Amino acid sequence: MQFFKVKTVEETFAMIEENISAIKDTEERPLEEALHYITAACVTAKENVPGFDRSTVDGYAVKAKDTYGSSDSMPGFLTVVGEVRMGESAGIHLGQGEAVYVPTGGMIPPGSDSVIMIEHCEDHEGLLNTYKSVAPGENIIRAGEDIREGEVVLPEGTILRPQELGAIASLGISHVTVYHKLKVGYLSSGDEIVPYQTEKLLEGQIRDINYLTIASLAKQWNVEVIYGGIVKDDFQEFQQKAQNLYDQVDCLILSGGSSVGAKDYTTDVIGSLGSPGVFVHGISIKPGKPTILAMANGKPVIGLPGHPASAMIIFMLFGEKILRKLKGEKIDKKPDRIFARITKNIPSAPGRSDYIRVRLFEKEGEWWADPIIGKSGLITTLVKSDGIVEIRSEKEGISQGDYVPVIATR
Amino acid sequence: MQFFKVKTVEETFAMIEENISAIKDTEERPLEEALHYITAACVTAKENVPGFDRSTVDGYAVKAKDTYGSSDSMPGFLTVVGEVRMGESAGIHLGQGEAVYVPTGGMIPPGSDSVIMIEHCEDHEGLLNTYKSVAPGENIIRAGEDIREGEVVLPEGTILRPQELGAIASLGISHVTVYHKLKVGYLSSGDEIVPYQTEKLLEGQIRDINYLTIASLAKQWNVEVIYGGIVKDDFQEFQQKAQNLYDQVDCLILSGGSSVGAKDYTTDVIGSLGSPGVFVHGISIKPGKPTILAMANGKPVIGLPGHPASAMIIFMLFGEKILRKLKGEKIDKKPDRIFARITKNIPSAPGRSDYIRVRLFEKEGEWWADPIIGKSGLITTLVKSDGIVEIRSEKEGISQGDYVPVIATR
């Protein structure tokens, strides 16, 4: 048997960073089906956005200098020479002393350099009284002001939020090259585990609720989950089912069996799947210490602890990081921690990271985090919580009123 | 023509609160397909969770008082009388001076009241040396400690996160009563608007990118979107298509045409769909002023402004609130605002709420928000942003270093 030194949370993140890289498979997807996928190539603008100078208001296109000095008491006078219709070319060229009506979003006629809002002028049968002066460029979006032709709009590795999809669509691009959707396999093990649909339990049996929580988290992250079922504590069967599932997926999750108990085959099964094998066995974290992370021939394998709250917290921390790296996500700016003030003193062992479930409430423009006390086996502590406070390993606990990072779970 | 007084953001939220209520249709869904649905009835426990006293560690079930006084230098001695196997009844009744091996999650034998971890004892061929004392209840989760039989585990109106699904599954319940998935219709209007897939634009034309951004936001919120296409500025056609789409959905979104321009038929079309009709026409907000909210025979209708960034911000603020109410969501504790410190002074007109796109960065345990300057017509300002700072209407701007609420968009 091999012995592993327990890793800190920081070391674990560093090892994930070092060991996991993006999958190779990419595909072209229509924008309507690309939400939350990751770009596998940069997106470059092949035209200006907008393609023409546009008005941002309903008003009259003018030469700005023709309005200088206009005021309520001393209006300026311009001649209305036409109207721009939405979706059509402006047509008319604007001369000195002239004005053309333009609706919001309409094209600015050549010769004009600004738009005066209808609120600031009056059209008296073709004679426009202007009550305000406008500056050159006022109420106009210039061609290319949003995106310039040739500009890299999105680098490779960008997650496609609604606004990124909008930006791509504005360029006349209707398909995008993305990394394919991750497939993750989930296999439960343990003689005591029965399908969660089991209505009546025999004594000592436990429903496989971790499958539901972990698979639901993965779905939230746009990952497909294949359920491998439940294996008994039998090495042969465990190895075979794990191998079978491993072959179909980009990442394998094994649940239960990661305690150093008599029937712990997880490490051996992981070892059998490929090299280099286990790189983290045990993390200095509470809850979730008996966590295993491995790489088997380029595919990550995650051995989760069995306690429901431990499994969720470990998967939210390290599982998400692994899956984001595997997906090809490079732009990692998501504010996935908020800062809140803790309502109580909480001691913590230095060298160990603690994750405390909390209720959040707002008071005078700040978030406060109120700890929920409960063992890591209790799923209801997570149901009652709005977030998880992180006490990093270098801290010897936190004091009432301290600012602490919180992972929001709502 | 009817005139409306522009509403503040706070008044608008209050009117949404007052006017919108949950849809009526509910359904039974299997837990695996219920993520992010809303409970339409409370969920009550019909059994204890866990169903039996369980060990939270690998160790030996004992009577706590038999370990009192044990230490490394002065071990206690107990007789090992058996082993509990995972998934099986404990069998043995534990007598004084006795110990039974129990793996993590295993059932505690009757007669014992605590578990001593294997790290703190040694089994010498049936004679157990204990090096530490344990307290009654230590390393045990009691039957019903997580959930008690008869307890209301989830009230009606709860959004089903992964942990809620886990909690329901732990009760032996495999289906849940939820409000049905919302169906929203989206109809674009404007002579200048063409499908976003259009490769080459004619002069003055604009691609319908708001459909993509708004539909993607709705999908993120577990809402189905039906696209009604694009109508020209023609009342007859607009009314007919809006009516047709309205009949199929729970909520109708109309995009474009909400400026007070010459071709603005949106208000009339909304009026034709049912009573009481428009309750907000214009909001004192920047960007997004020309927003229309209405109720037509119990279904909300949202008229969005045409500028891409305005449309997204309005939909993230008011659209989300409307859809959450309509979905039946009652537990509204999501920390959807984070607090950050602003890097610059920003003036704002009192009485108007401003929403400023920002980049977020972490510095010394706090979030800082750095404003992105750009017109509301520019989709790229949202691409570059990590969040949106809210300057509420009672403020006359914010000063460098102030704490401000931020809506995260990553």
Side-chain angles (χ1 to χ4, degrees), chain A residues 238-260:
Chain A
F238 194 174
Q239 201 285 327
Q240 221 156 54
K241 290 216 172 156
Q243 181 72 54
N244 188 296
L245 196 54
Y246 168 89
D247 290 340
Q248 304 170 53
V249 297
D250 302 306
C251 172
L252 182 62
I253 300 168
L254 302 175
S255 171
S258 57
S259 254
V260 190

Side-chain angles (χ1 to χ4, degrees), chain A residues 31-32 35-36 46-47 52 54-56 58 85-90 101 104-105 107 118 137 140-141 145-147 153-154 159 161-167 169-174 191-192 196-201 203-207 209 211-213 216-217 219-220 233 259-263 307 312 331 333-339 359-360 362 365-367 375 377-386 392 403 408-410, chain B residues 31-32 35-36 46-47 52 54-56 58 85-90 101 104-105 107 118 137 140-141 145-147 153-154 159 161-167 169-174 191-192 196-201 203-207 209 211-213 216-217 219-220 233 259-263 307 312 331 333-339 359-360 362 365-367 375 377-386 392 403 408-410:
Chain A
L31 294 183
E32 279 177 69
L35 183 65
H36 298 160
K46 46 181 189 132
E47 58 180 80
F52 54 91
R54 289 170 61 186
S55 176
T56 62
D58 291 333
R85 303 177 73 88
M86 289 305 291
E88 292 180 12
S89 173
Y101 177 77
T104 303
M107 185 171 175
I118 46 169
I140 287 179
I141 293 182
E145 189 172 335
D146 204 350
I147 303 172
V153 180
L154 302 175
I159 186 162
R161 298 174 296 170
Q163 51 267 57
E164 276 80 25
L165 295 175
S170 73
L171 297 166
I173 300 173
S174 57
D191 287 343
E192 77 281 21
Y196 76 83
Q197 295 92 341
T198 308
E199 261 200 58
K200 273 275 159 236
L201 294 182
E203 281 205 320
Q205 290 185 334
I206 292 172
R207 296 190 183 93
I209 69 168
Y211 162 59
L212 259 185
T213 56
S216 301
L217 281 173
K219 279 184 212 163
Q220 285 189 169
D233 286 329
S259 254
V260 190
K263 297 176 189 173
H307 287 163
M312 273 197 76
I331 315 299
K333 300 169 67 180
K334 198 175 79 162
D336 51 0
R337 303 280 191 282
I338 67 176
F339 293 98
R359 283 194 193 82
L360 290 169
E362 194 185 328
E366 294 190 291
W367 284 109
K375 295 167 186 158
L378 307 183
I379 181 86
T380 46
T381 57
L382 273 172
V383 170
K384 288 171 192 152
S385 74
D386 306 313
R392 292 185 178 139
Y403 287 91
T409 57
R410 277 199 197 270
Chain B
L31 294 184
E32 279 176 69
L35 183 65
H36 298 159
K46 48 185 186 126
E47 57 180 79
F52 53 91
R54 288 170 62 185
S55 177
T56 61
D58 290 333
R85 302 177 72 87
M86 289 305 290
E88 292 181 13
S89 173
Y101 177 77
T104 303
M107 186 170 175
I118 46 167
I140 287 179
I141 293 182
E145 188 172 337
D146 205 349
I147 303 171
V153 180
L154 302 176
I159 185 162
R161 298 175 295 170
Q163 51 267 56
E164 275 81 24
L165 295 175
S170 74
L171 297 165
I173 300 172
S174 57
D191 287 342
E192 77 283 21
Y196 76 83
Q197 295 93 340
T198 309
E199 262 199 58
K200 273 277 159 234
L201 295 181
E203 282 207 318
Q205 290 185 332
I206 293 172
R207 295 190 183 92
I209 69 167
Y211 162 59
L212 260 185
T213 57
S216 301
L217 281 173
K219 279 183 211 162
Q220 285 188 170
D233 286 329
S259 254
V260 190
K263 298 177 188 173
H307 288 164
M312 273 197 78
I331 316 299
K333 300 169 67 181
K334 199 176 76 162
D336 51 1
R337 302 279 191 284
I338 67 176
F339 293 99
R359 283 194 194 81
L360 290 169
E362 195 185 327
E366 295 190 292
W367 284 108
K375 296 168 183 155
L378 307 184
I379 181 84
T380 46
T381 57
L382 274 172
V383 170
K384 288 172 192 153
S385 75
D386 305 313
R392 292 187 177 137
Y403 287 89
T409 57
R410 278 199 195 267

Side-chain angles (χ1 to χ4, degrees), chain B residues 305-375:
Chain B
H307 288 164
S310 310
M312 273 197 78
I313 290 174
I314 291 297
F315 196 60
M316 282 192 277
L317 280 176
F318 306 111
E320 200 211 9
K321 183 77 182 170
I322 288 170
L323 295 181
R324 285 171 77 165
K325 293 272 300 176
L326 199 59
K327 273 177 175 181
E329 199 171 337
K330 289 203 181 113
I331 316 299
D332 191 8
K333 300 169 67 181
K334 199 176 76 162
D336 51 1
R337 302 279 191 284
I338 67 176
F339 293 99
R341 301 182 71 178
I342 196 82
T343 59
K344 289 188 179 76
N345 296 332
I346 301 180
S348 167
R352 186 186 70 193
S353 295
D354 285 7
Y355 290 81
I356 315 289
R357 281 138 278 171
V358 292
R359 283 194 194 81
L360 290 169
F361 61 93
E362 195 185 327
K363 204 175 84 182
E364 291 160 16
E366 295 190 292
W367 284 108
W368 285 79
D370 193 33
I372 294 166
I373 305 308
K375 296 168 183 155

Side-chain angles (χ1 to χ4, degrees), chain A residues 159-233:
Chain A
I159 186 162
L160 295 170
R161 298 174 296 170
Q163 51 267 57
E164 276 80 25
L165 295 175
I168 300 173
S170 73
L171 297 166
I173 300 173
S174 57
H175 288 69
V176 62
T177 308
V178 293
Y179 288 103
H180 87 162
K181 188 171 188 163
L182 280 193
K183 244 188 234 167
V184 157
Y186 185 96
L187 184 62
S188 303
S189 70
D191 287 343
E192 77 281 21
I193 308 292
V194 295
Y196 76 83
Q197 295 92 341
T198 308
E199 261 200 58
K200 273 275 159 236
L201 294 182
L202 300 178
E203 281 205 320
Q205 290 185 334
I206 292 172
R207 296 190 183 93
D208 188 12
I209 69 168
N210 287 356
Y211 162 59
L212 259 185
T213 56
I214 301 303
S216 301
L217 281 173
K219 279 184 212 163
Q220 285 189 169
W221 305 331
N222 195 36
V223 169
E224 185 185 337
V225 182
I226 302 179
Y227 184 41
I230 302 164
V231 292
K232 295 284 171 200
D233 286 329

Side-chain angles (χ1 to χ4, degrees), chain A residues 232-235 238 257 259 261-270:
Chain A
K232 295 284 171 200
D233 286 329
D234 172 282
F235 180 78
F238 194 174
S259 254
K263 297 176 189 173
D264 181 2
Y265 300 120
T266 309
T267 319
D268 295 337
V269 167
I270 292 177

Side-chain angles (χ1 to χ4, degrees), chain B residues 47-353:
Chain B
E47 57 180 79
N48 280 325
V49 177
F52 53 91
D53 294 353
R54 288 170 62 185
S55 177
T56 61
V57 296
D58 290 333
Y60 290 82
V62 296
K63 288 181 189 291
K65 64 176 167 44
D66 289 348
T67 68
Y68 292 172
S70 295
S71 69
D72 281 339
S73 53
M74 187 76 90
F77 300 101
L78 299 172
T79 311
V80 178
V81 295
E83 179 180 346
V84 173
R85 302 177 72 87
M86 289 305 290
E88 292 181 13
S89 173
I92 317 148
H93 185 100
L94 194 110
Q96 200 168 340
E98 292 180 342
V100 166
Y101 177 77
V102 189
T104 303
M107 186 170 175
I108 303 296
S112 65
D113 61 7
S114 51
V115 177
I116 181 164
M117 291 175 77
I118 46 167
E119 289 88 336
H120 301 138
C121 55
E122 240 171 326
D123 185 350
H124 292 292
E125 296 172 358
L127 184 69
L128 192 74
N129 297 11
T130 59
Y131 301 115
K132 198 173 176 281
S133 67
V134 289
E138 197 167 330
N139 298 322
I140 287 179
I141 293 182
R142 294 282 181 199
E145 188 172 337
D146 205 349
I147 303 171
R148 270 184 323 282
E149 190 183 332
E151 188 182 331
V152 172
V153 180
L154 302 176
E156 190 243 313
T158 306
I159 185 162
L160 296 170
R161 298 175 295 170
Q163 51 267 56
E164 275 81 24
L165 295 175
I168 300 172
S170 74
L171 297 165
I173 300 172
S174 57
H175 286 71
V176 62
T177 308
V178 293
Y179 288 103
H180 87 160
K181 187 172 189 162
L182 281 193
K183 243 187 234 166
V184 158
Y186 186 97
L187 183 63
S188 303
S189 69
D191 287 342
E192 77 283 21
I193 307 291
V194 295
Y196 76 83
Q197 295 93 340
T198 309
E199 262 199 58
K200 273 277 159 234
L201 295 181
L202 299 179
E203 282 207 318
Q205 290 185 332
I206 293 172
R207 295 190 183 92
D208 189 11
I209 69 167
N210 287 356
Y211 162 59
L212 260 185
T213 57
I214 301 304
S216 301
L217 281 173
K219 279 183 211 162
Q220 285 188 170
W221 305 331
N222 195 36
V223 169
E224 185 186 337
V225 182
I226 302 178
Y227 185 41
I230 301 166
V231 291
K232 295 285 171 198
D233 286 329
D234 172 282
F235 180 78
Q236 213 70 9
E237 188 198 347
F238 194 176
Q239 201 285 329
Q240 221 157 52
K241 290 217 171 156
Q243 181 72 53
N244 188 295
L245 195 55
Y246 168 90
D247 291 340
Q248 303 170 54
V249 298
D250 302 306
C251 172
L252 182 63
I253 300 169
L254 302 175
S255 172
S258 57
S259 254
V260 190
K263 298 177 188 173
D264 180 3
Y265 300 119
T266 309
T267 320
D268 295 337
V269 167
I270 293 177
S272 78
L273 294 173
S275 50
V278 174
F279 62 88
V280 171
H281 194 165
I283 302 174
S284 182
I285 186 173
K286 185 185 169 188
K289 192 181 171 201
T291 297
I292 302 175
L293 302 178
M295 278 302 275
N297 299 340
K299 292 182 188 176
V301 183
I302 305 173
L304 289 178
H307 288 164
S310 310
M312 273 197 78
I313 290 174
I314 291 297
F315 196 60
M316 282 192 277
L317 280 176
F318 306 111
E320 200 211 9
K321 183 77 182 170
I322 288 170
L323 295 181
R324 285 171 77 165
K325 293 272 300 176
L326 199 59
K327 273 177 175 181
E329 199 171 337
K330 289 203 181 113
I331 316 299
D332 191 8
K333 300 169 67 181
K334 199 176 76 162
D336 51 1
R337 302 279 191 284
I338 67 176
F339 293 99
R341 301 182 71 178
I342 196 82
T343 59
K344 289 188 179 76
N345 296 332
I346 301 180
S348 167
R352 186 186 70 193
S353 295

